[in-house]
Amino acid sequence: MKKIAIYGKGGIGKSTTVSNVAAAMAAMGLTVLQIGCDPKADSSRNLTEGRNIPTVLDVLREKGDAQLEDLVYRSTTGVLCVESGGPVPGVGCAGRGIITAFEKLEELDAYEIYQPDVVLYDVLGDVVCGGFAMPIRGGYADEVCIVTSGEMMSLYAASNIAGAVNSMGKRGYASLKGLILNAKNIENEQELVTKAAAEIGVPVLFRLPRDPSVQQAEDQGKTVVEAYPGCPMALQYQELAKLLLA
């Protein structure tokens, strides 16, 4: 079982990247579990026809307990989707939702029952507090990738995440695999990301171009891989999926 945590600043296209990669891996015949670790609970929307699925925290709040079928949604692409969710707005810690979700999945033997070939953690990277660092420090993920653009705040977040991963890596936790550029087509973007990667000390693993097919697919509540499987952008995500599996 390969376990990859994908971090990035909010709004950078991280969830779009993760869901397309998950769909590409599922199309290869792999069992893929995607766990959304963001209180917005929108990681899997492109896999669920644009609908939000019930989150772990919502189910526990409403029922007091849960079964696996209450928490895990199998998408039309075959990807198994889980959303950790967050606390009631203004109350509690968002990071705590991730911890609760992980503990509940373990308690219900999710990994033994579904036996995923790949687990993808989609993690908000604006803040790397204890909860949001759980995929790294809890021994859940083996590798970490960071999605970024050439925008200053995106690169700043990437640097902070890299620092946290490298600090924890010294204690035997997940290692930083590299950056994934999700292009916004800003001026000198390629050079800016290349320079940032060199300063962080990691490679730029992949460079995703900006393509209108992504938005067109999302308007249908789908990934590009599902909506337009033969288009150039779908092939890009397929190549990225193969790279992450290598």
Side-chain angles (χ1 to χ4, degrees), residues 30-54:
L30 300 175
T31 300
V32 183
L33 174 62
Q34 177 174 324
I35 303 177
C37 304
D38 187 325
K40 296 195 303 296
D42 59 357
S43 172
S44 57
R45 279 180 62 87
N46 293 335
L47 296 166
T48 58
E49 300 178 318
R51 293 179 289 108
N52 283 11
I53 63 174

Side-chain angles (χ1 to χ4, degrees), residues 22-224:
M25 290 177 174
M28 297 176 193
L30 300 175
T31 300
V32 183
L33 174 62
Q34 177 174 324
I35 303 177
C37 304
D38 187 325
K40 296 195 303 296
D42 59 357
S43 172
S44 57
R45 279 180 62 87
N46 293 335
L47 296 166
T48 58
E49 300 178 318
R51 293 179 289 108
N52 283 11
I53 63 174
T55 72
V56 174
L57 285 193
D58 283 344
V59 171
L60 293 178
R61 275 194 292 263
E62 292 171 12
K63 295 188 174 183
D65 201 1
Q67 302 300 315
L68 268 182
E69 54 266 28
D70 299 321
L71 308 179
V72 182
Y73 178 94
R74 187 182 295 273
S75 77
T76 54
T77 59
V79 177
L80 301 166
C81 304
V82 175
E83 296 283 359
S84 65
V88 176
V91 180
C93 169
R96 181 65 205 172
I98 299 170
I99 297 171
T100 301
F102 284 16
E103 290 174 346
K104 195 64 183 178
L105 289 172
E106 283 195 301
E107 178 189 324
L108 296 174
D109 298 322
Y111 303 101
E112 289 77 12
I113 291 171
Y114 290 111
Q115 296 187 336
D117 299 299
V118 187
V119 181
L120 296 173
Y121 301 96
D122 177 5
V123 196
L124 181 67
D126 294 78
V127 181
V128 193
C129 68
F132 290 101
M134 187 73 172
I136 309 170
R137 66 179 178 83
Y140 291 96
D142 303 314
E143 299 173 344
V144 175
C145 300
I146 304 172
V147 177
T148 186
S149 70
E151 296 165 313
M152 181 183 68
M153 293 308 297
S154 175
L155 292 172
Y156 178 74
S159 179
N160 283 342
I161 298 162
V165 176
N166 289 332
S167 174
M168 295 175 189
K170 296 172 183 175
R171 287 173 272 173
Y173 295 137
S175 61
L176 181 57
K177 192 176 179 75
L179 305 185
I180 298 169
L181 167 59
N182 190 38
K184 299 290 186 183
N185 288 354
I186 66 170
E187 188 176 359
N188 298 322
E189 184 165 38
Q190 300 288 337
E191 293 81 1
L192 288 168
V193 174
T194 298
K195 180 181 178 184
E199 291 173 353
I200 294 171
V202 295
V204 180
L205 293 172
F206 205 83
R207 299 171 188 262
L208 289 166
R210 193 165 181 82
D211 192 294
S213 64
V214 175
Q215 185 60 55
Q216 291 162 8
E218 290 189 348
D219 289 343
Q220 303 172 47
K222 295 181 178 180
T223 61
V224 176

